[in-house]
Structures are given as structure tokens and as C-alpha cells.
Amino acid sequence: MSSANTAAKLRACLRCNFAQTAREFHTKGCPNCQEILDMQGSQERVADFTTSNFDGLICMLQPEQSWVAKWQRIEKRIPGLYAVKVVGRLPEGYE
């Protein structure tokens, strides 16, 4: 599978921009927002709290040392893949 195909299958969390496949959100939840959004095991919540409509990806390995992480305001989040700009909004009550 090409990297373009892989990127096309990713979804981004509407709260923190963390990107992974819908299956990973369903299996593990969002590593930054699991306590708040509780996506693990719920396809409905994954659909409500993530989007496939985003621009760009950042692979953040060392958040505390990354100027890009600071610029994107994700320096306090776990290392991983993040969408640069997410299109969509969390459902009311979860903002």
C-alpha cells in the first residue's frame, strides 16, 4: 500500500488533531483524549469525534524539543502523527 493510500485512510481527532486509522481509534481510542471522548469500542463515537477532512500531517517525536510542536500548540501531547489543520467541529457539549 502506498503512503498516499495510507494517508487517505487516516482520521484525525477533532479535539487534539491526533491522526490514526478509524480502526485504531475504535481499538485504542485517542491517546490524548480517551478519558474525555471515550472512543474505544464505539464506531459511533469514532465517527462523531474524528474526521477524514484535514490538511497536512506532522510526525512529532520529541514534543518538548520541537519548534513545530510549539507552533502547532501540541508540545504537551504524546508523540505521534498529527493533522496540521482539521476541518470539522466536536458535537455540542464536547468543545
Side-chain angles (χ1 to χ4, degrees):
M1 182 180 295
S2 74
S3 61
N5 287 338
T6 302
K9 294 181 184 213
L10 293 177
R11 296 187 65 83
C13 176
L14 289 169
R15 184 170 181 271
C16 73
N17 295 14
F18 190 83
Q20 60 186 355
T21 65
R23 179 183 217 151
E24 289 170 312
F25 277 116
H26 184 263
T27 304
K28 302 181 265 187
C30 177
N32 293 303
C33 306
Q34 183 55 26
E35 290 182 22
I36 297 162
L37 301 181
D38 192 27
M39 287 186 254
Q40 188 173 4
S42 173
Q43 291 178 336
E44 184 177 326
R45 284 179 167 272
V46 170
D48 288 346
F49 300 146
T50 67
T51 182
S52 59
N53 192 358
F54 61 86
D55 293 323
L57 290 168
I58 297 169
C59 182
M60 182 177 62
L61 300 176
Q62 297 177 316
E64 306 273 326
Q65 299 172 12
S66 170
W67 70 266
V68 174
K70 288 181 180 108
W71 175 64
Q72 286 295 118
R73 297 185 179 117
I74 58 174
E75 72 271 13
K76 301 276 190 238
R77 302 206 176 119
I78 68 153
L81 198 60
Y82 289 84
V84 174
K85 181 181 176 190
V86 172
V87 178
R89 299 187 82 145
L90 283 169
E92 197 170 312
Y94 289 95
E95 289 96 11

